[in-house]
Amino acid sequence: MSHDTTAWHKPHWLTGDDGLVRVGPGTGGSEEHTCPSHAAAKARPGLLPTRRLRLPKPELETFTLGPVMDAVDRVEFHGETPDQALAGLHSRTPALHPGHLTYAEHALRTYVGACAGDGEQRLRPVRPYWVAQRENGKFWEMYAWWRRYESAGGRLREYRRLRHGEAKDSEPGEIAIAVYVAVHGRQAAWPRKWARAFQPYGPSVRPERVRVVEVGLADARPRVQFDGTAEEAEAYYAEHGHAHVARVVTGGRPAPGSSCVDCKQFTGCEAVPRRPGVLGLSSRVAPLRKVSISDLRYHASCPAQGFLRALHLPKSDEYGSAARLGQAVHGWIEELHRRPGWPPCTAGDMPPEGENWTEGRWRVSDEDAATGRDMLLHHVDACPFQDAALIQRVEPEALRVVHDTAAQAVVIAKPDLLYQEDGSWVWRELKTTRKRRRHHEDLLDTYPQLALAVTLLAQGALDGDPDGSRVEVEILRPDGSDPHVIDPTDPGRQRKALSVLRRYAGPWREDEAGDARPGPHCRSCPVSRWCPSAAPDGTVAGEGAA
């Protein structure tokens, strides 16, 4: 388990001892976003930020699986019934959103029921953690937070990784860590202080067999990730784990994203621009939260929907045929815009006539596919790469992060396309619709992400020369293309953009409860199954027909 960590350089905004290196599945941030610098700092629990954010904690629990794990612990280690375990969640601090409680109940009953169905093959739960330790210049620890089980006598050790929704395949490097720890780990209690090492106790028991299973809490269907002998587990780690761990702990250039909100380097990270007032709000002490324009739109529709989406609870299909077609069109053009040299899109690049070119998640009917082809053909004349010689840099589906220090928000933006001309950024959004535009409507009202684009470009949050920047909007219809250009240096457009953002972000920042706003939109809400206030027919729960 020896690793070279010479590439890691402690930033000046971190203090403390980095002699302890602790790695487990998830240290690399594989769930949603991976920042090499974040992962390397996270692997060193003794490091602390020189300057901490002194902000209040959220009133509601935001760790989706935390309450579920607590409830399973009560059942497996305290002998409580599922009802008793769930009752304990009502007094938990921080409090759980009613929808979070509904999900936790479903997850607990589903998981406990599946475990009870194992019959004679049922393994016993193990409360202590398994921890593998070694000293090699630094003091190394490897562990896994996942649930632990073993057979009588310890001949079989099994890790179970719980997923919010359906089980899926984990990154091989993470599975490799788990199988290594299952073979070599000794029992240990959770350290009282995270910066301290685990204190293993008892004899070292080497199992004959190791298994790693993903369990989706939507239906408790398992997916085996590894099942083999101890020797096969060590070979698997040698193939997949060593390089993964070395990559995590040696770090790399910061890559800001959604994980910034939980990163201990955040207060000093020079890769995150600080722009007070990006969301148009005055300064106020509030919990640090991440937010995107989609988050603000969900909250505006229903605060409960916004909160439950942020928990990544299992969702029903939220895309109608129009939305699926729009995603398919976006995907086709994105692939064209990723080509080396940025050649302009041509009619020959578009799907052949009479062919259903959509597939997978975004597959639509043959009729809709034909409509999408018409839209794609109209993109040819509006393609931004007509004169690629002027373009210096291209980033399809770019990710940008800005810290609004007034709103205390980590603002996540993902333009459809960013490209640079003569040192200035062009922010381009692509929209698809079958409707004709009302001439009196303001695009900033219709598409609030354009308001964010205007503000970020105007404030120079993307670097480059803001004076030459612009926002482009391409609206594709079956019968034509409707291009628009917005000047972010125009004071009138800046005021309008801030007004739009303030209208969305103000209620979002003030909200700590995530109360439901039931109505007809409940019918199409992808997380309504978890919301106690949602009625199946979309009416307000508790109300009858008029």
Side-chain angles (χ1 to χ4, degrees):
M1 197 176 70
S2 62
H3 300 283
D4 179 14
T5 60
T6 56
W8 166 257
H9 299 285
K10 183 172 71 174
H12 65 83
W13 55 82
L14 291 182
T15 185
D17 181 15
D18 64 345
L20 172 62
V21 179
R22 178 181 292 137
V23 182
T27 304
S30 65
E31 286 298 298
E32 187 176 0
H33 162 258
T34 300
C35 172
S37 182
H38 177 185
K42 187 177 180 181
R44 292 163 170 81
L47 294 182
L48 298 172
T50 303
R51 181 174 64 87
R52 299 188 184 185
L53 283 174
R54 305 293 183 180
L55 298 174
K57 299 294 184 181
E59 294 183 10
L60 293 176
E61 177 64 79
T62 58
F63 183 18
T64 309
L65 286 181
V68 178
M69 295 286 276
D70 289 350
V72 177
D73 283 347
R74 286 171 174 264
V75 172
E76 292 187 339
F77 304 126
H78 299 284
E80 294 186 4
T81 66
D83 286 341
Q84 291 172 327
L86 291 168
L89 296 183
H90 288 269
S91 57
R92 198 174 186 274
T93 302
L96 270 65
H97 187 279
H100 197 172
L101 278 169
T102 301
Y103 170 75
E105 177 178 1
H106 167 86
L108 174 65
R109 296 192 189 281
T110 302
Y111 183 72
V112 170
C115 292
D118 290 344
E120 296 180 358
Q121 302 298 318
R122 188 176 185 185
L123 305 176
R124 71 177 185 89
V126 177
R127 187 168 192 177
Y129 291 85
W130 296 323
V131 181
Q133 296 178 325
R134 181 173 296 180
E135 193 159 2
N136 178 34
K138 296 182 182 294
F139 190 75
W140 285 81
E141 289 186 332
M142 292 174 60
Y143 80 107
W145 181 72
W146 307 344
R147 302 207 68 82
R148 299 157 301 283
Y149 298 84
E150 66 181 11
S151 61
R155 295 178 62 185
L156 167 65
R157 278 185 170 183
E158 178 173 297
Y159 270 118
R160 295 180 191 168
R161 182 179 199 172
L162 307 189
R163 294 284 192 181
H164 300 160
E166 296 180 354
K168 59 182 180 180
D169 290 332
S170 282
E171 204 277 331
E174 297 198 332
I175 299 301
I177 292 175
V179 300
Y180 184 94
V181 175
V183 172
H184 296 281
R186 295 173 62 196
Q187 294 187 348
W190 195 261
R192 291 187 177 181
K193 291 187 177 180
W194 186 237
R196 296 179 180 175
F198 282 91
Q199 298 297 318
Y201 58 86
S204 177
V205 179
R206 180 183 174 91
E208 297 177 5
R209 184 175 162 215
V210 168
R211 191 162 59 209
V212 178
V213 181
E214 299 265 349
V215 180
L217 295 176
D219 54 13
R221 291 182 181 176
R223 179 176 292 190
V224 177
Q225 305 291 295
F226 179 89
D227 188 350
T229 65
E231 291 73 22
E232 290 170 334
E234 290 179 322
Y236 188 90
Y237 178 80
E239 181 180 358
H240 300 287
H242 186 92
H244 174 82
V245 173
R247 184 172 61 252
V248 169
V249 300
T250 53
R253 295 181 61 186
S258 57
S259 68
C260 288
V261 72
D262 298 317
C263 181
K264 58 186 174 184
Q265 299 194 88
F266 179 68
T267 54
C269 183
E270 297 166 354
V272 180
R274 318 289 168 172
R275 294 293 188 277
V278 160
L279 296 178
L281 304 180
S282 58
S283 182
R284 204 201 87 174
V285 175
L288 181 68
R289 292 188 286 177
K290 72 177 180 70
V291 69
S292 66
I293 289 297
S294 294
D295 294 329
L296 294 179
R297 291 175 58 242
Y298 298 144
H299 183 273
S301 175
C302 173
Q305 179 185 171
F307 186 83
L308 298 181
R309 277 178 175 268
L311 291 178
H312 302 290
L313 298 188
K315 298 191 292 288
S316 59
D317 185 13
E318 58 183 307
Y319 295 98
S321 60
R324 286 196 296 271
L325 177 58
Q327 293 287 349
V329 170
H330 270 80
W332 191 279
I333 293 177
E334 179 189 343
E335 288 301 312
L336 294 177
H337 287 175
R338 289 187 181 277
R339 293 179 295 182
W342 318 311
C345 299
T346 67
D349 296 322
M350 303 311 169
E353 188 174 4
E355 176 183 299
N356 191 330
W357 51 276
T358 64
E359 58 184 15
R361 184 182 183 187
W362 309 126
R363 185 172 180 83
V364 297
S365 68
D366 292 350
E367 181 180 353
D368 283 347
T371 299
R373 179 178 182 272
D374 291 338
M375 293 178 175
L376 288 169
L377 288 171
H378 289 302
H379 165 73
V380 171
D381 291 336
C383 179
F385 299 161
Q386 298 292 345
D387 194 346
L390 299 176
I391 298 176
Q392 301 157 318
R393 185 174 168 186
V394 172
E395 294 186 44
E397 295 294 318
L399 183 66
R400 291 293 185 269
V401 176
V402 176
H403 180 199
D404 186 333
T405 54
Q408 286 306 337
V410 179
V411 183
I412 310 292
K414 195 173 184 182
D416 291 334
L417 177 69
L418 276 180
Y419 65 97
Q420 202 170 44
E421 287 183 349
D422 195 24
S424 296
W425 284 109
V426 181
W427 180 311
R428 188 177 183 89
E429 293 288 341
L430 177 70
K431 302 298 175 184
T432 59
T433 182
R434 300 173 195 255
K435 300 177 181 178
R436 299 302 305 173
R437 181 193 171 203
R438 300 185 184 93
H439 292 289
H440 64 276
E441 70 181 356
D442 191 317
L443 288 175
L444 299 184
D445 285 319
T446 307
Y447 306 113
Q449 60 266 49
L450 301 180
L452 180 61
V454 167
T455 303
L456 292 180
L457 290 173
Q459 295 196 15
L462 306 187
D463 296 326
D465 180 8
D467 290 338
S469 63
R470 65 183 182 272
V471 179
E472 296 180 342
V473 191
E474 179 183 354
I475 303 177
L476 290 178
R477 296 183 172 85
D479 58 352
S481 174
D482 191 7
H484 301 269
V485 177
I486 303 172
D487 180 4
T489 67
D490 182 337
R493 293 285 78 192
Q494 292 177 14
R495 289 191 296 271
K496 176 63 179 182
L498 287 173
S499 173
V500 170
L501 293 172
R502 191 179 302 116
R503 186 169 72 244
Y504 281 91
W508 169 80
R509 187 183 67 172
E510 299 301 318
D511 182 22
E512 287 285 337
D515 291 333
R517 189 180 296 141
H521 54 269
C522 291
R523 297 190 191 100
S524 58
C525 175
V527 290
S528 62
R529 65 180 293 197
W530 312 116
C531 181
S533 300
D537 61 356
T539 60
V540 178
E543 290 187 2

